[in-house]
Amino acid sequence: MLTRSPSARPRTRWRTLSHWRRDALSGYVFILPQMIGFLLFVLIPLVYVCWYSLHDWNLMTGQREFVGAANYTAMAGSARFRTVAGNTAVFAFGVLPLNIVGGLGLAVLVDQRLPGMHIFRSLFFLPVVMSLVAWSIIWRFLLQADGGINSLLLLTGLEGPNWLRQPSWAMASVVVVQVLKMVGFSMVLFLAALQGVPGELKEAARIDGARPWTSFRYVTLPLISPTVLMVMLLVTIWSLKAFAQIYLLTSGGPGISTAVIGYEIFSQAFQIFEVGYASAVAVVLLVVAMSLTALQWALRRRWVFHEQ
Amino acid sequence: MKTQTSKGAGWRRGVAVVAVLALAAACGGGQDASEDDVVDTSGNGEENGGDQAGDEDPAAGDPVDLTVSVWTTDEAQLALLDEIADDYLEQTPEVASIRFDSSPFDTYHNALTVQLAGGNPPDLGWMGNADVAPLIESGAITEVGDALREDPEYDFDDIIDSTFDSWRRGDEIYGYQFSNSPDGIFYDAEAFEAAGVDTPMEQWEAGEWTWEALAESARQVVDADAARYGLVLTGFDYSVWQTLRVVYLPYGAQSWTDNGEECGWDSPEMIDAMTLFHDMIFTDGTYPGPGESADFAAGDVAMMSAKASAAGQLEGVDFAWDVVPLPTGPAGDVASYGGAGMTVFSAGDNTEAATDFLKFWTNPDNTRKMAQYFPPPRESVLQPDVLADSNPLLSAEQLQRMVVDAVPRIANDPQIPPLNQAQLTETVGPLLDELWQPDADVTTTLEGVCEGIEPLLGDA
């Protein structure tokens, strides 16, 4: 009869533990390069930015002095920052609904089995793969007072405004340019979600007498709500980070009517050379983005179908 | 015997240690400052105990390498710089090499300030005269006047004194303004002839070349359909407000007072100047509106404000053109200009060698070589026939009236409050944007500019 040493583990459990730990370690090794990159290029710079935000640091003079929360206090009392924050909100919440409605609408349109539909899908997605810089420069020329858009309008007898130079039109123009750039991406995501909706559910609704809009609202929309949540999160974060298109289209003008937080960080750091203050603005942007993301994530239980 | 548990735990502990060390490096790297310490990251902080500038005597130790930051990307200019550097190296064994680091002008100052902040500055570098004040006040650039004056062969007295205005603090000189480019008015002679209007040259010769006369000429040319627009200011594009100096300096206006304590944007002189300009845009329609494009070389515009180097764009145009100085204003004949200088950075490793090279680079012989590209500050070289040798598109007479006669009259906004100069510049721009609307009230807008910048002027 075999006897078992008191110190020996059960054979099956030992193998499982050993195998599991080997798998875990293998996983850590595989993600280690990415984590090192994340540490070096994201986390460490993030910590530095938070540290610099507590300093008054002028790049031109080279003087750096610890001032605690003075940058944040100055920001809170700054009329310019309030304007910039307001512009950011207008930009982000202008882009968001247009992107979702536009992307979903395009997805519904191209979700049809018609010859040549793939061409339209490619055309709508084409702006997404274009360079943002090239896209913005082209639109800057199109939106000039004597540019392509106004020339076309003149053919119809209409006189277009100075799209990028009039405060009342500049932000709207920038929003539209941003939406046109990214709506194809939303379309692709929504298209995949639409094609994942079981056909029998829509068929059952049709048999029960549901109209197309009723079927879409009560059958399709709930089933694609996880995708809607994802698009909302992505578009919100992208909008909050906007810089290149603002820089190239309007440079934050006229005045500061299109200056958003991303552009303000650049302006403070590399035009006014106040790196400490720019870092503080960057920290505020991070907090806002994380807060909005957390809020949207928390609200998912109320309206994302699968979470219920 | 090592167990699986202890191996896994050891691995996790190792990862945790690495992460903590990395975070510690992030928090503790570089210069740490206590709450009461001011850290000088420019590397020249004698007062603050920062790293002192290297000040090696090229006569001692190994030969040194010099780096020079420039913003030209023109191959011919870079070749000339290398030629001058090679001449210097032949006679200076203490210097092993000289390298010119070229960056585009648009990003040059940003890149340079980041280099200075990062403690990795070049030994010498070009600086715009409007950007040098903060560097002088912070000690980021070295005084070079003594080195320039002490050598009789350098002929310091040959240099026009007013060209040192932006680079001087008392008797100390912090740079050599190698390029002095006054603005002038290029005009399409055929457009004026077609409109039956006296040309700017005729008006200038008659002593009637004023800003009001220019505005009237522009109206007449445009009304006669001889050109689409009457005037364009090169480089303005409703964003670089400093270009407006060509208009307001002749009116006796300044952005701020000489002592930097009061705003000059709401002065009567400035209001007059900006009212004339605003009317040209929105009342007369003789200046391209915001977002509208116009090209003098294409024949769109009857007149263009630009520097002498702009003549290079006019090679091969199909109309006759000429150039005259800027119009005068109520303040008389003031030459607006753009100046570029060469400086030695205090945080560089070889300030003495760098100063010696600067002296060589700016001596009479090399100034003569550079004059083909940059209007010089030396009287002996600032001669029309010398400049014309290197400017085939401009005659000696044109260079005489546009450059030679203008350099002694150059003026600029006062160089003050260096610690917030950049902020002043970036604050004025957006506030001035309100002026570029058809229904803008000039006085109200300019008063708004002053309201916006006065808190910054108070820090002077």
Side-chain angles (χ1 to χ4, degrees):
Chain A
M1 186 175 92
L2 290 173
T3 58
R4 180 172 291 171
S5 164
S7 64
R9 290 189 176 88
R11 191 184 177 92
T12 304
R13 184 179 168 202
W14 173 254
R15 277 185 178 174
T16 301
L17 282 173
S18 171
H19 183 71
W20 178 84
R21 287 188 187 282
R22 277 202 298 271
D23 276 352
L25 286 175
S26 298
Y28 284 126
V29 169
F30 277 119
I31 67 171
L32 190 61
Q34 196 275 339
M35 290 308 296
I36 289 175
F38 177 79
L39 196 68
L40 290 176
F41 299 112
V42 177
L43 194 59
I44 290 176
L46 187 60
V47 172
Y48 264 117
V49 167
C50 294
W51 176 241
Y52 291 155
S53 73
L54 304 178
H55 291 74
D56 179 6
W57 183 10
N58 187 292
L59 263 187
M60 185 68 81
T61 63
Q63 303 290 327
R64 191 174 78 196
E65 179 185 3
F66 182 83
V67 293
N71 287 324
Y72 295 97
T73 306
M75 203 186 313
S78 166
R80 178 187 169 104
F81 182 77
R82 284 196 293 276
T83 302
V84 168
N87 292 342
T88 307
V90 169
F91 180 78
F93 295 115
V95 167
L96 185 63
L98 289 176
N99 210 299
I100 290 178
V101 171
L104 189 54
L106 286 175
V108 169
L109 282 176
V110 300
D111 185 25
Q112 299 178 64
R113 295 181 184 278
L114 296 175
M117 191 54 67
H118 62 282
I119 296 175
F120 287 99
R121 293 174 187 172
S122 300
L123 283 175
F124 291 137
F125 192 72
L126 198 57
V128 179
V129 299
M130 266 190 78
S131 153
L132 178 60
V133 171
W135 178 260
S136 302
I137 291 174
I138 290 169
W139 275 101
R140 188 176 70 192
F141 284 108
L142 288 175
L143 292 172
Q144 277 183 336
D146 54 357
I149 301 295
N150 282 350
S151 299
L152 283 175
L153 288 174
L154 270 178
L155 293 176
T156 64
L158 296 172
E159 187 175 343
N162 201 333
W163 299 100
L164 297 176
R165 301 281 189 162
Q166 279 183 241
S168 52
W169 282 101
M171 179 57 85
S173 303
V174 173
V175 167
V176 168
V177 170
Q178 173 72 356
V179 169
L180 291 176
K181 177 76 171 69
M182 295 309 297
V183 72
F185 185 81
S186 305
M187 179 201 73
V188 165
L189 294 178
F190 284 131
L191 182 62
L194 288 173
Q195 291 178 346
V197 174
E200 55 268 23
L201 293 181
K202 291 190 283 189
E203 180 68 16
R206 188 187 67 80
I207 291 171
D208 286 345
R211 292 178 185 162
W213 168 248
T214 307
S215 173
F216 179 82
R217 182 165 178 235
Y218 291 103
V219 176
T220 305
L221 203 54
L223 288 174
I224 67 170
S225 55
T227 302
V228 175
L229 172 67
M230 182 173 65
V231 171
M232 279 180 62
L233 289 173
L234 289 173
V235 171
T236 301
I237 293 171
W238 289 338
S239 300
L240 289 174
K241 295 192 314 177
F243 164 70
Q245 53 272 63
I246 303 292
Y247 178 80
L248 291 167
L249 285 170
T250 60
S251 297
I256 53 170
S257 60
T258 59
V260 296
I261 290 183
Y263 183 82
E264 180 70 358
I265 294 169
F266 161 79
S267 179
Q268 290 291 335
F270 299 111
Q271 292 180 331
I272 301 177
F273 304 114
E274 292 290 344
V275 175
Y277 185 83
S279 299
V281 176
V283 170
V284 168
L285 178 61
L286 172 68
V287 170
V288 168
M290 289 178 64
S291 302
L292 284 175
T293 303
L295 179 65
Q296 289 173 329
W297 188 254
L299 289 176
R300 76 192 189 285
R301 294 189 181 278
R302 297 188 63 178
W303 61 274
V304 176
F305 177 73
H306 285 173
E307 295 292 339
Q308 293 167 355
Chain B
M1 182 178 88
K2 206 166 187 181
T3 64
Q4 293 291 334
T5 302
S6 62
K7 278 184 184 174
W11 177 264
R12 285 195 295 272
R13 276 197 291 270
V15 171
V17 167
V18 168
V20 167
L21 286 175
L23 283 173
C27 293
Q31 295 170 303
D32 271 329
S34 71
E35 201 166 317
D36 298 325
D37 284 352
V38 174
V39 177
D40 188 345
T41 62
S42 66
N44 57 290
E46 294 179 5
E47 294 173 357
N48 299 315
D51 290 338
Q52 295 239 353
D55 199 1
E56 298 176 17
D57 182 345
D62 296 331
V64 299
D65 300 308
L66 296 180
T67 55
V68 186
S69 226
V70 300
W71 62 62
T72 179
T73 54
D74 183 280
E75 293 294 332
Q77 291 180 13
L78 289 171
L80 177 59
L81 295 177
D82 284 335
E83 177 189 323
I84 295 173
D86 288 342
D87 291 342
Y88 180 74
L89 291 172
E90 282 179 8
Q91 55 186 270
T92 315
E94 297 83 6
V95 177
S97 69
I98 300 175
R99 188 184 79 229
F100 292 93
D101 291 338
S102 173
S103 304
F105 181 76
D106 289 350
T107 58
Y108 177 84
H109 290 91
N110 291 342
L112 187 59
T113 48
V114 171
Q115 274 186 286
L116 292 172
N120 184 31
D123 295 293
L124 304 95
W126 289 5
M127 287 299 299
N129 68 306
D131 301 308
V132 72
L135 298 183
I136 296 175
E137 298 301 324
S138 67
I141 55 179
T142 299
E143 202 278 336
V144 296
D146 290 342
L148 299 183
R149 290 190 189 97
E150 68 187 7
D151 185 353
E153 289 189 11
Y154 185 76
D155 197 5
F156 183 85
D157 292 335
D158 184 37
I159 303 172
I160 298 170
D161 188 68
S162 59
T163 64
F164 283 121
D165 283 351
S166 297
W167 312 86
R168 175 169 39 212
R169 295 294 182 270
D171 292 332
E172 297 178 335
I173 291 172
Y174 290 87
Y176 174 95
Q177 188 161 290
F178 65 88
S179 176
N180 304 267
S181 300
D183 294 290
I185 299 290
F186 291 78
Y187 68 91
D188 179 346
E190 294 176 15
F192 279 83
E193 184 181 343
V197 178
D198 286 347
T199 65
M201 174 62 77
E202 291 168 335
Q203 297 180 56
W204 179 70
E205 288 175 335
E208 296 170 353
W209 183 231
T210 64
W211 269 104
E212 284 77 13
L214 182 149
E216 177 60 29
S217 299
R219 270 193 296 272
Q220 292 176 3
V221 170
V222 171
D223 287 346
D225 283 334
R228 187 176 166 203
Y229 297 106
L231 174 71
V232 66
L233 304 183
T234 302
F236 173 50
D237 197 27
Y238 294 95
S239 58
V240 186
W241 64 263
Q242 296 90 324
T243 316
L244 296 172
R245 286 171 186 152
V246 303
V247 182
Y248 65 72
L249 285 179
Y251 272 76
Q254 294 180 153
S255 296
W256 34 77
T257 54
D258 287 338
N259 58 11
E261 292 180 359
E262 291 179 27
C263 174
W265 283 95
D266 59 355
S267 67
E269 296 83 5
M270 183 68 83
I271 291 172
D272 288 343
M274 290 298 101
T275 299
L276 177 137
F277 190 62
H278 187 271
D279 287 346
M280 288 186 71
I281 304 168
F282 297 108
T283 304
D284 303 339
T286 54
Y287 193 96
E292 294 175 359
S293 53
D295 183 8
F296 178 78
D300 295 338
V301 196
M303 291 177 282
M304 167 180 75
S305 160
K307 298 174 177 29
S309 56
Q313 305 168 18
L314 304 180
E315 188 170 8
V317 297
D318 59 358
F319 57 87
W321 56 271
D322 204 345
V323 60
V324 292
L326 285 180
T328 62
D333 202 355
V334 176
S336 168
Y337 82 109
M342 178 76 99
T343 59
V344 174
F345 293 105
S346 305
D349 293 332
N350 313 292
T351 53
E352 197 167 317
T355 303
D356 192 61
F357 176 63
L358 184 148
K359 191 174 75 173
F360 176 83
W361 192 72
T362 60
N363 68 22
D365 290 338
N366 289 323
T367 297
R368 189 174 296 267
K369 291 179 187 175
M370 297 290 291
Q372 61 183 302
Y373 302 116
F374 309 107
R378 287 183 173 276
E379 285 191 71
S380 61
V381 185
L382 192 65
Q383 300 299 322
D385 51 342
V386 174
L387 298 178
D389 282 345
S390 309
N391 285 280
L393 292 173
L394 290 170
S395 67
E397 293 75 23
Q398 289 172 326
L399 288 164
Q400 176 76 48
R401 60 177 175 263
M402 186 185 177
V403 179
V404 177
D405 292 342
V407 169
R409 295 183 283 105
I410 54 177
N412 209 332
D413 280 321
Q415 295 291 302
I416 51 97
L419 294 182
N420 56 22
Q421 184 80 27
Q423 195 162 9
L424 275 168
T425 301
E426 293 302 318
T427 302
V428 169
L431 292 170
L432 209 54
D433 264 357
E434 295 183 25
L435 189 59
W436 315 127
Q437 304 295 331
D439 54 354
D441 181 87
V442 176
T443 303
T444 304
T445 303
L446 295 181
E447 287 172 349
V449 173
C450 279
E451 282 176 22
I453 70 172
E454 266 162 6
L456 301 175
L457 293 174
D459 290 341

Short mmCIF file of all heavy atoms in Angstrom, two decimals, chain B residues 205-243:
data_model
loop_
_atom_site.label_atom_id
_atom_site.label_comp_id
_atom_site.label_asym_id
_atom_site.label_seq_id
_atom_site.Cartn_x
_atom_site.Cartn_y
_atom_site.Cartn_z
N GLU B 205 8.90 110.76 -54.97
CA GLU B 205 9.83 111.79 -55.43
C GLU B 205 9.27 113.18 -55.19
O GLU B 205 10.02 114.14 -54.98
CB GLU B 205 10.14 111.59 -56.92
CG GLU B 205 11.03 110.39 -57.19
CD GLU B 205 11.23 110.12 -58.66
OE1 GLU B 205 10.36 110.52 -59.47
OE2 GLU B 205 12.25 109.49 -59.02
N ALA B 206 7.93 113.30 -55.22
CA ALA B 206 7.31 114.60 -54.97
C ALA B 206 7.12 114.88 -53.49
O ALA B 206 6.58 115.92 -53.12
CB ALA B 206 5.95 114.64 -55.68
N GLY B 207 7.55 113.93 -52.67
CA GLY B 207 7.41 114.14 -51.23
C GLY B 207 5.97 113.99 -50.75
O GLY B 207 5.61 114.50 -49.70
N GLU B 208 5.15 113.27 -51.53
CA GLU B 208 3.73 113.14 -51.19
C GLU B 208 3.36 111.69 -50.88
O GLU B 208 2.18 111.34 -50.92
CB GLU B 208 2.89 113.64 -52.38
CG GLU B 208 3.08 115.13 -52.66
CD GLU B 208 2.43 115.53 -53.98
OE1 GLU B 208 1.96 114.64 -54.71
OE2 GLU B 208 2.42 116.73 -54.27
N TRP B 209 4.34 110.87 -50.59
CA TRP B 209 4.09 109.45 -50.40
C TRP B 209 3.75 109.18 -48.93
O TRP B 209 4.62 108.91 -48.10
CB TRP B 209 5.32 108.66 -50.84
CG TRP B 209 5.20 107.16 -50.78
CD1 TRP B 209 6.08 106.30 -50.19
CD2 TRP B 209 4.15 106.33 -51.32
NE1 TRP B 209 5.67 105.00 -50.35
CE2 TRP B 209 4.48 105.00 -51.03
CE3 TRP B 209 2.97 106.59 -52.03
CZ2 TRP B 209 3.69 103.92 -51.43
CZ3 TRP B 209 2.19 105.52 -52.41
CH2 TRP B 209 2.53 104.21 -52.12
N THR B 210 2.45 109.29 -48.63
CA THR B 210 1.96 109.07 -47.28
C THR B 210 0.98 107.90 -47.28
O THR B 210 0.57 107.43 -48.35
CB THR B 210 1.23 110.32 -46.75
OG1 THR B 210 0.06 110.53 -47.58
CG2 THR B 210 2.11 111.56 -46.81
N TRP B 211 0.58 107.45 -46.10
CA TRP B 211 -0.37 106.34 -46.02
C TRP B 211 -1.74 106.75 -46.57
O TRP B 211 -2.43 105.95 -47.19
CB TRP B 211 -0.49 105.84 -44.58
CG TRP B 211 0.49 104.73 -44.30
CD1 TRP B 211 1.65 104.82 -43.61
CD2 TRP B 211 0.39 103.38 -44.75
NE1 TRP B 211 2.30 103.62 -43.59
CE2 TRP B 211 1.55 102.71 -44.30
CE3 TRP B 211 -0.55 102.66 -45.50
CZ2 TRP B 211 1.79 101.37 -44.55
CZ3 TRP B 211 -0.31 101.32 -45.76
CH2 TRP B 211 0.85 100.68 -45.29
N GLU B 212 -2.10 108.01 -46.39
CA GLU B 212 -3.37 108.45 -46.98
C GLU B 212 -3.28 108.42 -48.50
O GLU B 212 -4.23 108.04 -49.19
CB GLU B 212 -3.70 109.88 -46.50
CG GLU B 212 -4.23 109.95 -45.07
CD GLU B 212 -3.15 109.80 -44.03
OE1 GLU B 212 -1.95 109.89 -44.41
OE2 GLU B 212 -3.47 109.60 -42.85
N ALA B 213 -2.12 108.82 -49.02
CA ALA B 213 -1.93 108.80 -50.48
C ALA B 213 -1.95 107.37 -50.99
O ALA B 213 -2.49 107.08 -52.06
CB ALA B 213 -0.61 109.48 -50.83
N LEU B 214 -1.35 106.47 -50.23
CA LEU B 214 -1.37 105.05 -50.64
C LEU B 214 -2.80 104.53 -50.69
O LEU B 214 -3.20 103.84 -51.64
CB LEU B 214 -0.53 104.21 -49.69
CG LEU B 214 -0.40 102.72 -50.01
CD1 LEU B 214 0.95 102.17 -49.55
CD2 LEU B 214 -1.51 101.90 -49.35
N ALA B 215 -3.59 104.83 -49.67
CA ALA B 215 -4.98 104.35 -49.62
C ALA B 215 -5.77 104.93 -50.80
O ALA B 215 -6.57 104.22 -51.42
CB ALA B 215 -5.62 104.74 -48.29
N GLU B 216 -5.56 106.19 -51.10
CA GLU B 216 -6.27 106.81 -52.22
C GLU B 216 -5.84 106.19 -53.54
O GLU B 216 -6.67 105.91 -54.41
CB GLU B 216 -6.00 108.32 -52.22
CG GLU B 216 -6.63 109.08 -53.38
CD GLU B 216 -8.15 108.95 -53.43
OE1 GLU B 216 -8.78 108.79 -52.36
OE2 GLU B 216 -8.70 108.99 -54.55
N SER B 217 -4.55 105.95 -53.71
CA SER B 217 -4.06 105.32 -54.93
C SER B 217 -4.66 103.93 -55.09
O SER B 217 -5.05 103.53 -56.19
CB SER B 217 -2.53 105.21 -54.90
OG SER B 217 -1.92 106.47 -54.83
N ALA B 218 -4.76 103.20 -54.00
CA ALA B 218 -5.33 101.86 -54.05
C ALA B 218 -6.78 101.92 -54.50
O ALA B 218 -7.23 101.12 -55.33
CB ALA B 218 -5.23 101.20 -52.67
N ARG B 219 -7.52 102.89 -53.96
CA ARG B 219 -8.93 103.05 -54.37
C ARG B 219 -9.03 103.30 -55.87
O ARG B 219 -9.85 102.70 -56.56
CB ARG B 219 -9.56 104.23 -53.60
CG ARG B 219 -10.20 103.87 -52.29
CD ARG B 219 -11.07 105.02 -51.78
NE ARG B 219 -10.29 106.21 -51.49
CZ ARG B 219 -9.72 106.44 -50.31
NH1 ARG B 219 -9.82 105.58 -49.32
NH2 ARG B 219 -9.02 107.56 -50.12
N GLN B 220 -8.19 104.19 -56.36
CA GLN B 220 -8.27 104.58 -57.77
C GLN B 220 -7.91 103.40 -58.68
O GLN B 220 -8.53 103.18 -59.72
CB GLN B 220 -7.35 105.77 -58.05
CG GLN B 220 -7.82 107.05 -57.36
CD GLN B 220 -6.85 108.20 -57.56
OE1 GLN B 220 -5.83 108.08 -58.25
NE2 GLN B 220 -7.15 109.34 -56.96
N VAL B 221 -6.91 102.66 -58.29
CA VAL B 221 -6.49 101.52 -59.11
C VAL B 221 -7.59 100.46 -59.14
O VAL B 221 -7.90 99.89 -60.20
CB VAL B 221 -5.16 100.93 -58.59
CG1 VAL B 221 -4.85 99.61 -59.28
CG2 VAL B 221 -4.03 101.92 -58.79
N VAL B 222 -8.18 100.17 -57.99
CA VAL B 222 -9.22 99.15 -57.93
C VAL B 222 -10.48 99.63 -58.65
O VAL B 222 -11.13 98.86 -59.38
CB VAL B 222 -9.53 98.79 -56.46
CG1 VAL B 222 -10.76 97.88 -56.36
CG2 VAL B 222 -8.33 98.09 -55.83
N ASP B 223 -10.83 100.89 -58.48
CA ASP B 223 -12.03 101.42 -59.15
C ASP B 223 -11.88 101.38 -60.66
O ASP B 223 -12.86 101.21 -61.39
CB ASP B 223 -12.30 102.87 -58.70
CG ASP B 223 -12.83 102.95 -57.28
OD1 ASP B 223 -13.24 101.88 -56.77
OD2 ASP B 223 -12.82 104.04 -56.70
N ALA B 224 -10.63 101.50 -61.13
CA ALA B 224 -10.38 101.45 -62.57
C ALA B 224 -10.24 100.02 -63.08
O ALA B 224 -9.93 99.81 -64.26
CB ALA B 224 -9.11 102.25 -62.89
N ASP B 225 -10.46 99.04 -62.18
CA ASP B 225 -10.33 97.61 -62.54
C ASP B 225 -8.94 97.26 -63.06
O ASP B 225 -8.78 96.32 -63.84
CB ASP B 225 -11.36 97.23 -63.62
CG ASP B 225 -12.75 97.06 -63.02
OD1 ASP B 225 -12.83 96.74 -61.82
OD2 ASP B 225 -13.74 97.24 -63.74
N ALA B 226 -7.94 98.02 -62.63
CA ALA B 226 -6.57 97.72 -63.04
C ALA B 226 -5.96 96.63 -62.18
O ALA B 226 -4.93 96.05 -62.55
CB ALA B 226 -5.73 98.99 -62.97
N ALA B 227 -6.53 96.38 -61.03
CA ALA B 227 -6.09 95.29 -60.14
C ALA B 227 -7.27 94.90 -59.27
O ALA B 227 -8.17 95.71 -59.02
CB ALA B 227 -4.91 95.71 -59.28
N ARG B 228 -7.23 93.65 -58.79
CA ARG B 228 -8.34 93.19 -57.93
C ARG B 228 -8.28 93.85 -56.56
O ARG B 228 -9.32 94.19 -55.98
CB ARG B 228 -8.24 91.67 -57.80
CG ARG B 228 -9.39 91.04 -57.09
CD ARG B 228 -9.24 89.52 -57.12
NE ARG B 228 -10.15 88.89 -56.17
CZ ARG B 228 -9.97 87.69 -55.64
NH1 ARG B 228 -8.92 86.98 -55.96
NH2 ARG B 228 -10.84 87.19 -54.80
N TYR B 229 -7.04 94.01 -56.04
CA TYR B 229 -6.85 94.67 -54.75
C TYR B 229 -5.77 95.72 -54.89
O TYR B 229 -4.95 95.68 -55.81
CB TYR B 229 -6.44 93.66 -53.66
CG TYR B 229 -7.48 92.61 -53.37
CD1 TYR B 229 -7.31 91.30 -53.80
CD2 TYR B 229 -8.63 92.93 -52.64
CE1 TYR B 229 -8.26 90.34 -53.53
CE2 TYR B 229 -9.59 91.96 -52.36
CZ TYR B 229 -9.40 90.68 -52.82
OH TYR B 229 -10.35 89.72 -52.55
N GLY B 230 -5.73 96.64 -53.93
CA GLY B 230 -4.75 97.71 -53.99
C GLY B 230 -3.48 97.42 -53.21
O GLY B 230 -2.40 97.85 -53.59
N LEU B 231 -3.60 96.68 -52.11
CA LEU B 231 -2.44 96.48 -51.23
C LEU B 231 -2.56 95.14 -50.52
O LEU B 231 -3.67 94.67 -50.22
CB LEU B 231 -2.37 97.59 -50.18
CG LEU B 231 -1.30 97.44 -49.07
CD1 LEU B 231 0.10 97.64 -49.64
CD2 LEU B 231 -1.56 98.41 -47.92
N VAL B 232 -1.41 94.52 -50.26
CA VAL B 232 -1.35 93.36 -49.38
C VAL B 232 -0.09 93.48 -48.54
O VAL B 232 0.96 93.91 -49.05
CB VAL B 232 -1.39 92.03 -50.17
CG1 VAL B 232 -0.14 91.85 -51.01
CG2 VAL B 232 -1.56 90.85 -49.23
N LEU B 233 -0.19 93.18 -47.26
CA LEU B 233 0.98 93.18 -46.36
C LEU B 233 1.50 91.75 -46.30
O LEU B 233 0.83 90.86 -45.75
CB LEU B 233 0.62 93.65 -44.96
CG LEU B 233 -0.04 95.02 -44.81
CD1 LEU B 233 -0.25 95.34 -43.33
CD2 LEU B 233 0.78 96.10 -45.48
N THR B 234 2.68 91.51 -46.82
CA THR B 234 3.24 90.16 -46.84
C THR B 234 3.42 89.65 -45.42
O THR B 234 4.00 90.33 -44.57
CB THR B 234 4.61 90.18 -47.54
OG1 THR B 234 4.44 90.69 -48.86
CG2 THR B 234 5.19 88.78 -47.63
N GLY B 235 2.90 88.47 -45.18
CA GLY B 235 3.08 87.84 -43.88
C GLY B 235 2.00 88.14 -42.87
O GLY B 235 1.99 87.55 -41.79
N PHE B 236 1.05 89.02 -43.17
CA PHE B 236 0.04 89.40 -42.19
C PHE B 236 -1.01 88.31 -42.05
O PHE B 236 -1.18 87.70 -40.98
CB PHE B 236 -0.58 90.74 -42.57
CG PHE B 236 -1.75 91.14 -41.71
CD1 PHE B 236 -1.65 91.11 -40.32
CD2 PHE B 236 -2.96 91.53 -42.26
CE1 PHE B 236 -2.71 91.46 -39.51
CE2 PHE B 236 -4.03 91.89 -41.45
CZ PHE B 236 -3.90 91.85 -40.08
N ASP B 237 -1.80 88.08 -43.09
CA ASP B 237 -2.80 87.01 -43.12
C ASP B 237 -3.71 87.01 -41.90
O ASP B 237 -4.19 85.97 -41.46
CB ASP B 237 -2.11 85.63 -43.23
CG ASP B 237 -3.09 84.55 -43.68
OD1 ASP B 237 -4.07 84.89 -44.37
OD2 ASP B 237 -2.90 83.38 -43.31
N TYR B 238 -3.93 88.18 -41.33
CA TYR B 238 -4.84 88.35 -40.18
C TYR B 238 -4.43 87.50 -38.97
O TYR B 238 -5.26 87.17 -38.12
CB TYR B 238 -6.29 88.02 -40.58
CG TYR B 238 -6.82 89.01 -41.58
CD1 TYR B 238 -6.76 88.75 -42.95
CD2 TYR B 238 -7.33 90.23 -41.16
CE1 TYR B 238 -7.20 89.69 -43.87
CE2 TYR B 238 -7.78 91.17 -42.09
CZ TYR B 238 -7.71 90.89 -43.42
OH TYR B 238 -8.15 91.81 -44.34
N SER B 239 -3.17 87.14 -38.89
CA SER B 239 -2.72 86.38 -37.73
C SER B 239 -1.45 86.95 -37.13
O SER B 239 -1.33 87.04 -35.91
CB SER B 239 -2.50 84.90 -38.11
OG SER B 239 -1.56 84.80 -39.15
N VAL B 240 -0.52 87.39 -37.98
CA VAL B 240 0.74 87.95 -37.47
C VAL B 240 0.55 89.45 -37.32
O VAL B 240 0.89 90.23 -38.22
CB VAL B 240 1.91 87.62 -38.41
CG1 VAL B 240 3.23 88.08 -37.79
CG2 VAL B 240 1.95 86.12 -38.70
N TRP B 241 0.00 89.85 -36.17
CA TRP B 241 -0.37 91.26 -36.00
C TRP B 241 0.84 92.18 -36.02
O TRP B 241 0.72 93.38 -36.32
CB TRP B 241 -1.18 91.46 -34.72
CG TRP B 241 -0.43 91.16 -33.45
CD1 TRP B 241 -0.46 90.00 -32.75
CD2 TRP B 241 0.46 92.04 -32.75
NE1 TRP B 241 0.36 90.10 -31.65
CE2 TRP B 241 0.92 91.33 -31.61
CE3 TRP B 241 0.88 93.34 -32.95
CZ2 TRP B 241 1.81 91.90 -30.69
CZ3 TRP B 241 1.77 93.92 -32.03
CH2 TRP B 241 2.23 93.19 -30.92
N GLN B 242 2.04 91.63 -35.70
CA GLN B 242 3.23 92.47 -35.68
C GLN B 242 3.50 93.10 -37.05
O GLN B 242 4.15 94.14 -37.16
CB GLN B 242 4.47 91.66 -35.25
CG GLN B 242 4.40 91.11 -33.83
CD GLN B 242 3.76 89.73 -33.77
OE1 GLN B 242 2.82 89.42 -34.51
NE2 GLN B 242 4.24 88.90 -32.86
N THR B 243 3.00 92.47 -38.11
CA THR B 243 3.19 93.01 -39.45
C THR B 243 2.54 94.38 -39.60
O THR B 243 2.94 95.17 -40.45
CB THR B 243 2.60 92.04 -40.50
OG1 THR B 243 2.96 90.71 -40.17
CG2 THR B 243 3.09 92.36 -41.89
#
